[in-house]
Amino acid sequence: MDEVNEQVAARRDKVAQLKSDGLPAYRNDFRPSHTARDIRDRHGNLAQPELEALPEEFALGGRIRALRPHGKAAFFEVEDGTGRLQVYARRDGLGDEAYERVRSLDVGDIVGVCGRLFRTRTDELTIQAREVTLLTKCIRPLPEKWHGLKDVETRYRQRYVDLMVNPEVREVFRNRSRVIGLVRDFLEQRGFLEVETPMMQPMAGGAAAKPFVTHHNALDLDLYLRVAPELFLKRLLVGGFDRVFELNRNFRNEGISTRHNPEFTMLEFYQAYADYEDMMELTEELFVTLAEEIHGSLRIPCGEHEVNLERPWQRLSLTQGVVRHAGAEESELATPEDLRKVAGKLGLDLDPRLGQGKLLVEIFEHLVEPRLIQPTFVTGYPLEVSPLARRNDSNPALVDRFELFIGGRELANAFSELNDPDDQRRRFEEQAAARRAGDDTACEVDEDYVRALEYAMPPAAGEGIGIDRLIMLLTDSPSIRDVILFPLLRT
RNA sequence: GGGCCGCUAGCUCAGGUGGUAGAGCAGCUGACUCUUAAUCAGCGGGUCCGGGGUUCGAAUCCCUGGCGGCCCA
């Protein structure tokens, strides 16, 4: 108990009173016949004489969201998972004792109501209560009816209250669920098989990120929560599943921001006999499908901007991006020394140990990424930042990879897959060396993965899409915490 | 980790230059049988985030800690 609040005390007193009267404050014997939406959909158009002629009663269960008592009659609003409906209770309809019980109800209580439908003078569809039953007492007062719950900390820490009183928050999470269902349908229609691979891995690979460590007691084995499922999904390509996807949680032991939560939902999919350009096509199709389903339009609001998802989307190389948006000359981007000079000129303070590729990516992330509002596939990624991607056939310093940016945020990362086991082993060894040199986001040599490639992985491409960021885009949410039900907070 | 901002009643918020804390909603009591942010009359409700300091006196000024937001790393 964290408080002695007069309002809580008053509600507890009511529970005690019920108990002493031999009535339950918590019961589970009520079964709704309809939802609020059912009732509105089926009878919302009927006028009073037609409603009066309806022979049946309606049983509605839900939470009291508003009370308007008037002496010997009372209106209240009952809300279930589908909407609200007004209820009208009269002393002469219920009897004195039952009416007194109705008058002792509080906003927040969960009730079952039975009665026939009618329209009020102001034409509102209403249940005329024949019976009102308290099903569950709400001990704590709800936030203010008009302003709702605004305090962001309470909204995240007590999401149940946020959801209860802020309908737009419920809408975001309904949309989240719809999007995830649509993504599954989209991939399954195209022959992708949904799979589940380990979240607890003996070695964290598949992305440059710091992992969480845990320990299996019986095996006395340190395990890592996965930073990506990539290396397992590609093993499945070796095994003969030519199109697979996984849509589930990843964990990265890094900072928290408006676009990062330590656990987040990632979609990864892999397709044999495809390359990264095929992934661009698929990505455009997917986003267009989602926008049409969720918004009914390809022009969607994004903060102060409007994003236009009409195909085809812009393609831009990393270098072009830096030239176009950061105001550098292409001739200034040739060597690490040049890049450091450019970074300095542009006001960036970068780690002096970074090599050519990482410098370019850093400059891009700081100066170009925030300006990519319209959907843009960025290509031309350096080999050194892409240890699992296939080398470009004409320029061996680059890989066949893109990242997708929309609304100034990275939404997806895709590449043609490296399937040469010897090249893969060398890349792993370079990673391992970087790791020994202090880069704790670099991975180690995954011997079994190399062995899998030695059995031949078909030529393929794969992609990861950050589902939380996708939901942010589709619901115009400025923070990742707005699309994660229970974001991580300090305790 | 750094910078800036915030934390006051259950909720939403006010509280120039330091003088012992207010409103609306919610609650309680009363009136009211078609209201819908119901209305009318009355009443109660505070660890001003915690700790320390300055001062005759601190929600207010200073220091320190906590939690959160935004930005940066």
Coordinates of all heavy atoms in Angstrom, one line a residue, chain B residues 1-24:
Chain B
rG1 P 25.8 6.8 -15.7 OP1 25.2 7.4 -14.5 OP2 25.4 5.8 -16.5 O5' 26.5 8.0 -16.5 C5' 27.7 8.5 -15.9 C4' 28.4 9.3 -17.0 O4' 28.2 8.6 -18.3 C3' 27.9 10.7 -17.2 O3' 28.4 11.7 -16.4 C2' 28.3 11.0 -18.7 O2' 29.6 11.3 -18.8 C1' 28.1 9.6 -19.3 N9 26.8 9.5 -19.9 C8 25.8 8.6 -19.6 N7 24.7 8.7 -20.3 C5 25.0 9.7 -21.2 C6 24.2 10.2 -22.3 O6 23.1 9.9 -22.6 N1 24.9 11.3 -22.9 C2 26.2 11.7 -22.6 N2 26.7 12.7 -23.4 N3 26.9 11.2 -21.6 C4 26.3 10.2 -21.0
rG2 P 27.5 12.9 -15.9 OP1 28.3 13.6 -14.8 OP2 26.1 12.5 -15.6 O5' 27.5 13.9 -17.1 C5' 28.7 14.7 -17.4 C4' 28.4 15.5 -18.6 O4' 28.1 14.6 -19.7 C3' 27.3 16.5 -18.5 O3' 27.6 17.7 -17.8 C2' 26.9 16.7 -20.0 O2' 27.8 17.6 -20.6 C1' 27.1 15.3 -20.6 N9 25.9 14.5 -20.6 C8 25.5 13.5 -19.8 N7 24.3 13.0 -20.1 C5 23.9 13.8 -21.1 C6 22.7 13.7 -21.8 O6 21.7 12.9 -21.7 N1 22.6 14.7 -22.8 C2 23.6 15.6 -23.1 N2 23.3 16.5 -24.0 N3 24.7 15.7 -22.4 C4 24.8 14.7 -21.4
rG3 P 26.5 18.5 -17.0 OP1 27.1 19.5 -16.2 OP2 25.6 17.5 -16.4 O5' 25.6 19.1 -18.2 C5' 26.2 20.2 -19.0 C4' 25.3 20.7 -20.0 O4' 24.9 19.6 -20.9 C3' 23.9 21.1 -19.5 O3' 23.9 22.4 -19.0 C2' 23.0 20.9 -20.7 O2' 23.2 22.0 -21.7 C1' 23.6 19.7 -21.4 N9 22.9 18.5 -20.9 C8 23.3 17.6 -19.9 N7 22.4 16.6 -19.8 C5 21.4 16.9 -20.7 C6 20.2 16.1 -21.0 O6 19.8 15.1 -20.4 N1 19.4 16.8 -22.0 C2 19.8 17.9 -22.6 N2 19.0 18.4 -23.5 N3 20.9 18.6 -22.3 C4 21.7 18.0 -21.4
rC4 P 22.9 22.8 -17.8 OP1 23.3 24.2 -17.3 OP2 22.9 21.7 -16.8 O5' 21.5 22.9 -18.5 C5' 21.2 23.9 -19.5 C4' 19.9 23.6 -20.2 O4' 20.0 22.3 -20.8 C3' 18.7 23.5 -19.3 O3' 18.2 24.7 -18.8 C2' 17.8 22.7 -20.1 O2' 17.2 23.5 -21.1 C1' 18.7 21.7 -20.8 N1 18.8 20.4 -20.0 C2 17.8 19.5 -20.2 O2 16.9 19.8 -21.0 N3 17.9 18.4 -19.5 C4 18.9 18.1 -18.7 N4 18.9 17.0 -18.0 C5 19.9 19.1 -18.5 C6 19.9 20.2 -19.2
rC5 P 17.4 24.8 -17.4 OP1 17.1 26.2 -17.2 OP2 18.2 24.1 -16.4 O5' 16.1 24.0 -17.6 C5' 15.1 24.5 -18.5 C4' 14.0 23.5 -18.7 O4' 14.6 22.2 -19.2 C3' 13.3 23.0 -17.4 O3' 12.3 24.0 -17.0 C2' 12.6 21.7 -17.9 O2' 11.5 21.9 -18.7 C1' 13.8 21.1 -18.7 N1 14.7 20.3 -17.9 C2 14.2 18.9 -17.7 O2 13.1 18.6 -18.1 N3 15.0 18.1 -16.9 C4 16.1 18.5 -16.4 N4 16.8 17.6 -15.7 C5 16.6 19.8 -16.7 C6 15.8 20.7 -17.4
rG6 P 12.0 24.0 -15.4 OP1 11.1 25.2 -15.2 OP2 13.2 23.9 -14.6 O5' 11.2 22.7 -15.1 C5' 9.9 22.5 -15.6 C4' 9.4 21.1 -15.5 O4' 10.4 20.2 -15.9 C3' 9.1 20.6 -14.0 O3' 7.9 21.0 -13.6 C2' 9.2 19.1 -14.2 O2' 8.0 18.6 -14.8 C1' 10.3 18.9 -15.3 N9 11.6 18.6 -14.7 C8 12.7 19.4 -14.5 N7 13.8 18.8 -14.0 C5 13.3 17.5 -13.7 C6 13.9 16.3 -13.2 O6 15.1 16.2 -12.7 N1 13.0 15.3 -13.1 C2 11.7 15.3 -13.5 N2 11.1 14.1 -13.3 N3 11.1 16.3 -14.1 C4 12.0 17.4 -14.1
rC7 P 7.6 21.2 -12.0 OP1 6.3 21.9 -11.9 OP2 8.8 21.8 -11.4 O5' 7.5 19.7 -11.5 C5' 6.5 18.9 -12.0 C4' 6.5 17.5 -11.3 O4' 7.9 17.0 -11.6 C3' 6.4 17.6 -9.8 O3' 5.5 16.5 -9.4 C2' 7.8 17.4 -9.3 O2' 7.8 16.7 -8.1 C1' 8.4 16.6 -10.4 N1 9.9 16.8 -10.4 C2 10.8 15.8 -10.1 O2 10.3 14.7 -9.8 N3 12.1 16.1 -10.0 C4 12.5 17.3 -10.4 N4 13.9 17.5 -10.3 C5 11.7 18.4 -10.7 C6 10.3 18.1 -10.7
rU8 P 4.0 16.7 -9.1 OP1 3.5 15.5 -8.3 OP2 3.4 17.2 -10.3 O5' 4.0 17.9 -8.0 C5' 4.4 17.7 -6.7 C4' 3.6 18.7 -5.8 O4' 3.9 20.0 -6.1 C3' 2.1 18.6 -5.9 O3' 1.5 17.5 -5.2 C2' 1.7 20.0 -5.4 O2' 1.8 20.0 -4.0 C1' 2.8 20.8 -6.0 N1 2.4 21.4 -7.3 C2 1.5 22.4 -7.4 O2 1.0 22.9 -6.4 N3 1.2 22.9 -8.6 C4 1.6 22.4 -9.8 O4 1.3 22.9 -10.9 C5 2.5 21.3 -9.7 C6 2.9 20.8 -8.5
rA9 P 0.3 16.8 -5.9 OP1 0.6 15.3 -5.9 OP2 -0.1 17.4 -7.2 O5' -0.9 17.1 -4.9 C5' -0.9 16.4 -3.6 C4' -2.3 16.0 -3.2 O4' -3.1 17.2 -3.0 C3' -3.0 15.2 -4.3 O3' -3.8 14.2 -3.7 C2' -3.9 16.2 -5.0 O2' -5.1 15.7 -5.5 C1' -4.3 17.1 -3.8 N9 -4.7 18.5 -4.2 C8 -4.7 19.1 -5.4 N7 -5.1 20.3 -5.4 C5 -5.4 20.6 -4.1 C6 -6.0 21.7 -3.4 N6 -6.3 22.8 -4.1 N1 -6.2 21.6 -2.1 C2 -5.8 20.5 -1.5 N3 -5.3 19.3 -2.0 C4 -5.1 19.5 -3.3
rG10 P -3.3 12.7 -3.6 OP1 -4.0 12.1 -2.5 OP2 -1.8 12.8 -3.5 O5' -3.7 12.0 -4.9 C5' -3.4 10.6 -5.1 C4' -4.3 10.1 -6.3 O4' -5.6 10.3 -5.9 C3' -4.1 11.0 -7.5 O3' -3.1 10.5 -8.3 C2' -5.5 10.8 -8.2 O2' -5.6 9.6 -8.8 C1' -6.4 10.8 -7.0 N9 -6.9 12.1 -6.5 C8 -6.7 12.7 -5.3 N7 -7.3 13.8 -5.2 C5 -7.8 14.1 -6.4 C6 -8.6 15.2 -6.9 O6 -8.9 16.2 -6.3 N1 -8.9 15.1 -8.2 C2 -8.7 14.0 -9.0 N2 -9.1 14.0 -10.2 N3 -8.0 12.9 -8.6 C4 -7.6 13.0 -7.3
rC11 P -2.1 11.4 -9.2 OP1 -1.1 10.6 -9.8 OP2 -1.8 12.6 -8.3 O5' -3.0 12.0 -10.4 C5' -3.4 11.1 -11.4 C4' -4.3 11.8 -12.4 O4' -5.5 12.2 -11.6 C3' -3.8 13.1 -12.9 O3' -3.0 12.8 -14.1 C2' -5.0 13.9 -13.3 O2' -5.6 13.4 -14.5 C1' -5.9 13.5 -12.1 N1 -5.9 14.5 -11.0 C2 -6.5 15.7 -11.2 O2 -7.1 15.9 -12.2 N3 -6.5 16.6 -10.1 C4 -5.9 16.3 -9.0 N4 -6.0 17.2 -8.0 C5 -5.3 15.0 -8.8 C6 -5.3 14.2 -9.8
rU12 P -1.8 13.9 -14.5 OP1 -1.2 13.3 -15.7 OP2 -1.1 14.2 -13.3 O5' -2.6 15.1 -14.9 C5' -3.4 15.2 -16.2 C4' -3.9 16.5 -16.4 O4' -4.9 16.8 -15.4 C3' -3.0 17.7 -16.3 O3' -2.2 17.9 -17.4 C2' -3.9 18.9 -16.0 O2' -4.5 19.3 -17.1 C1' -4.9 18.2 -15.1 N1 -4.6 18.4 -13.6 C2 -5.1 19.5 -13.0 O2 -5.7 20.4 -13.6 N3 -4.8 19.7 -11.7 C4 -4.1 18.7 -10.9 O4 -4.0 19.0 -9.7 C5 -3.7 17.6 -11.6 C6 -4.0 17.4 -12.9
rC13 P -0.8 18.6 -17.3 OP1 -0.2 18.6 -18.7 OP2 0.0 18.0 -16.2 O5' -1.2 20.1 -16.9 C5' -0.5 20.9 -16.1 C4' -1.3 22.0 -15.6 O4' -2.3 21.5 -14.6 C3' -0.6 23.1 -14.8 O3' -0.1 24.0 -15.7 C2' -1.8 23.7 -14.0 O2' -2.6 24.5 -14.8 C1' -2.6 22.4 -13.6 N1 -2.2 21.9 -12.3 C2 -2.7 22.6 -11.2 O2 -3.3 23.6 -11.3 N3 -2.3 22.1 -9.9 C4 -1.6 21.0 -9.8 N4 -1.3 20.6 -8.6 C5 -1.1 20.3 -11.0 C6 -1.4 20.8 -12.2
rA14 P 1.2 24.9 -15.3 OP1 1.8 25.3 -16.6 OP2 2.0 24.2 -14.3 O5' 0.6 26.2 -14.7 C5' 0.2 26.2 -13.4 C4' -0.6 27.4 -13.0 O4' -1.7 27.0 -12.2 C3' 0.2 28.4 -12.2 O3' 0.9 29.4 -13.0 C2' -0.9 29.0 -11.3 O2' -1.6 30.0 -12.0 C1' -1.7 27.8 -11.0 N9 -1.3 27.0 -9.9 C8 -0.6 25.8 -9.9 N7 -0.3 25.3 -8.8 C5 -0.8 26.2 -7.9 C6 -0.8 26.3 -6.5 N6 -0.3 25.4 -5.7 N1 -1.4 27.4 -5.9 C2 -2.0 28.3 -6.7 N3 -2.0 28.4 -8.1 C4 -1.4 27.3 -8.6
rG15 P 2.3 30.0 -12.4 OP1 2.6 31.1 -13.4 OP2 3.2 29.0 -12.1 O5' 1.8 30.7 -11.1 C5' 2.7 31.2 -10.2 C4' 2.1 31.2 -8.8 O4' 1.2 30.1 -8.6 C3' 3.1 31.1 -7.7 O3' 3.6 32.4 -7.3 C2' 2.3 30.5 -6.6 O2' 1.5 31.4 -5.9 C1' 1.5 29.5 -7.3 N9 2.1 28.2 -7.5 C8 2.5 27.6 -8.7 N7 3.0 26.5 -8.6 C5 3.0 26.2 -7.2 C6 3.5 25.1 -6.5 O6 4.0 24.1 -6.9 N1 3.3 25.3 -5.1 C2 2.7 26.4 -4.6 N2 2.6 26.4 -3.2 N3 2.3 27.4 -5.2 C4 2.4 27.3 -6.6
rG16 P 5.1 32.9 -7.7 OP1 5.5 32.3 -9.0 OP2 5.8 32.4 -6.5 O5' 5.1 34.4 -7.8 C5' 6.3 35.1 -7.8 C4' 6.6 35.8 -9.1 O4' 5.5 36.8 -9.3 C3' 7.9 36.6 -9.2 O3' 9.0 35.8 -9.5 C2' 7.6 37.6 -10.2 O2' 7.7 37.1 -11.5 C1' 6.1 37.9 -9.9 N9 6.0 39.0 -8.9 C8 7.0 40.0 -8.6 N7 6.6 40.8 -7.7 C5 5.3 40.4 -7.4 C6 4.4 41.0 -6.5 O6 4.5 41.9 -5.8 N1 3.2 40.3 -6.5 C2 2.9 39.2 -7.3 N2 1.7 38.6 -7.2 N3 3.7 38.7 -8.1 C4 4.9 39.3 -8.1
rU17 P 9.8 35.0 -8.4 OP1 11.2 34.9 -8.9 OP2 9.1 33.7 -8.1 O5' 9.6 35.9 -7.2 C5' 10.7 36.0 -6.3 C4' 11.5 37.3 -6.5 O4' 10.7 38.3 -7.2 C3' 11.8 38.0 -5.1 O3' 12.9 37.4 -4.5 C2' 12.0 39.4 -5.6 O2' 13.3 39.6 -6.2 C1' 10.9 39.6 -6.6 N1 9.7 40.1 -6.0 C2 9.6 41.4 -5.6 O2 10.5 42.2 -5.8 N3 8.4 41.8 -5.1 C4 7.3 41.0 -4.8 O4 6.4 41.5 -4.2 C5 7.5 39.6 -5.1 C6 8.6 39.2 -5.7
rG18 P 12.7 36.7 -3.0 OP1 12.0 37.7 -2.2 OP2 13.9 36.0 -2.6 O5' 11.8 35.4 -3.4 C5' 10.5 35.3 -3.1 C4' 10.2 34.3 -1.9 O4' 11.3 33.9 -1.2 C3' 9.3 35.0 -0.9 O3' 8.3 34.0 -0.4 C2' 10.2 35.3 0.2 O2' 9.6 35.4 1.5 C1' 11.2 34.1 0.2 N9 12.5 34.4 0.8 C8 13.4 35.3 0.4 N7 14.5 35.2 1.2 C5 14.2 34.2 2.1 C6 15.0 33.6 3.1 O6 16.2 34.0 3.5 N1 14.4 32.6 3.8 C2 13.1 32.1 3.4 N2 12.7 31.1 4.2 N3 12.4 32.6 2.5 C4 13.0 33.6 1.8
rG19 P 6.7 34.4 -0.4 OP1 6.0 33.2 -1.0 OP2 6.6 35.7 -0.9 O5' 6.4 34.4 1.1 C5' 6.3 33.2 1.9 C4' 5.6 33.5 3.2 O4' 6.5 34.2 4.1 C3' 4.3 34.3 3.1 O3' 3.5 33.9 4.2 C2' 4.8 35.7 3.4 O2' 3.9 36.6 3.9 C1' 5.9 35.4 4.5 N9 7.0 36.4 4.5 C8 7.3 37.3 3.6 N7 8.4 38.0 3.9 C5 8.8 37.5 5.2 C6 9.9 37.8 6.0 O6 10.8 38.6 5.9 N1 9.9 37.0 7.2 C2 9.0 36.0 7.4 N2 9.1 35.4 8.6 N3 7.9 35.7 6.7 C4 7.9 36.5 5.5
rU20 P 2.1 33.2 3.8 OP1 2.0 33.2 2.3 OP2 1.0 33.9 4.6 O5' 2.2 31.7 4.4 C5' 2.8 30.7 3.5 C4' 2.7 29.4 4.3 O4' 3.7 29.4 5.3 C3' 1.4 29.1 5.0 O3' 1.1 27.7 5.0 C2' 1.6 29.6 6.4 O2' 0.9 29.0 7.4 C1' 3.1 29.3 6.6 N1 3.9 30.2 7.4 C2 3.8 30.0 8.8 O2 3.2 29.1 9.3 N3 4.5 30.9 9.6 C4 5.3 31.9 9.1 O4 5.8 32.7 9.9 C5 5.3 32.1 7.7 C6 4.6 31.3 6.9
rA21 P -0.2 27.1 4.2 OP1 -1.4 27.8 4.7 OP2 -0.1 25.7 4.2 O5' 0.2 27.6 2.8 C5' -0.7 28.6 2.2 C4' -0.9 28.3 0.7 O4' 0.1 27.3 0.3 C3' -2.2 27.6 0.4 O3' -3.2 28.5 0.1 C2' -1.9 26.7 -0.8 O2' -2.1 27.5 -2.0 C1' -0.4 26.5 -0.7 N9 0.0 25.1 -0.3 C8 0.1 24.5 0.9 N7 0.5 23.3 0.9 C5 0.6 23.0 -0.4 C6 1.0 21.8 -1.1 N6 1.4 20.7 -0.5 N1 1.0 21.9 -2.4 C2 0.7 23.0 -3.0 N3 0.4 24.2 -2.5 C4 0.3 24.1 -1.2
rG22 P -4.6 28.4 0.7 OP1 -4.8 29.6 1.5 OP2 -4.9 27.1 1.3 O5' -5.6 28.6 -0.6 C5' -5.9 27.5 -1.3 C4' -6.0 27.9 -2.7 O4' -4.7 27.8 -3.4 C3' -6.9 27.1 -3.6 O3' -8.3 27.5 -3.5 C2' -6.4 27.3 -5.0 O2' -6.8 28.5 -5.5 C1' -4.9 27.3 -4.7 N9 -4.2 26.0 -4.8 C8 -3.8 25.2 -3.8 N7 -3.3 24.1 -4.2 C5 -3.4 24.2 -5.6 C6 -2.9 23.3 -6.6 O6 -2.4 22.2 -6.4 N1 -3.2 23.8 -7.9 C2 -3.8 25.0 -8.1 N2 -3.9 25.3 -9.4 N3 -4.2 25.8 -7.2 C4 -3.9 25.4 -6.0
rA23 P -9.5 26.4 -3.8 OP1 -10.7 27.0 -3.3 OP2 -9.0 25.1 -3.4 O5' -9.5 26.5 -5.4 C5' -9.8 27.7 -6.1 C4' -9.8 27.4 -7.6 O4' -8.4 27.1 -7.9 C3' -10.6 26.2 -8.1 O3' -11.9 26.6 -8.2 C2' -9.9 25.9 -9.4 O2' -10.2 26.9 -10.4 C1' -8.4 26.2 -9.0 N9 -7.7 25.0 -8.6 C8 -7.4 24.6 -7.3 N7 -6.7 23.4 -7.2 C5 -6.5 23.1 -8.5 C6 -5.9 22.0 -9.1 N6 -5.3 21.0 -8.4 N1 -5.9 21.9 -10.4 C2 -6.5 22.9 -11.1 N3 -7.1 23.9 -10.7 C4 -7.1 24.0 -9.4
rG24 P -13.0 25.4 -8.1 OP1 -14.3 26.1 -8.2 OP2 -12.7 24.5 -7.0 O5' -12.9 24.6 -9.5 C5' -13.2 25.1 -10.7 C4' -12.8 24.2 -11.8 O4' -11.4 24.0 -11.8 C3' -13.3 22.7 -11.6 O3' -14.7 22.6 -12.0 C2' -12.4 21.9 -12.5 O2' -12.7 22.1 -13.8 C1' -11.0 22.7 -12.2 N9 -10.4 22.1 -11.0 C8 -10.4 22.5 -9.7 N7 -9.7 21.8 -8.9 C5 -9.2 20.8 -9.7 C6 -8.3 19.7 -9.4 O6 -7.8 19.3 -8.3 N1 -8.0 18.9 -10.6 C2 -8.5 19.2 -11.8 N2 -8.1 18.4 -12.8 N3 -9.3 20.2 -12.1 C4 -9.6 21.0 -11.0

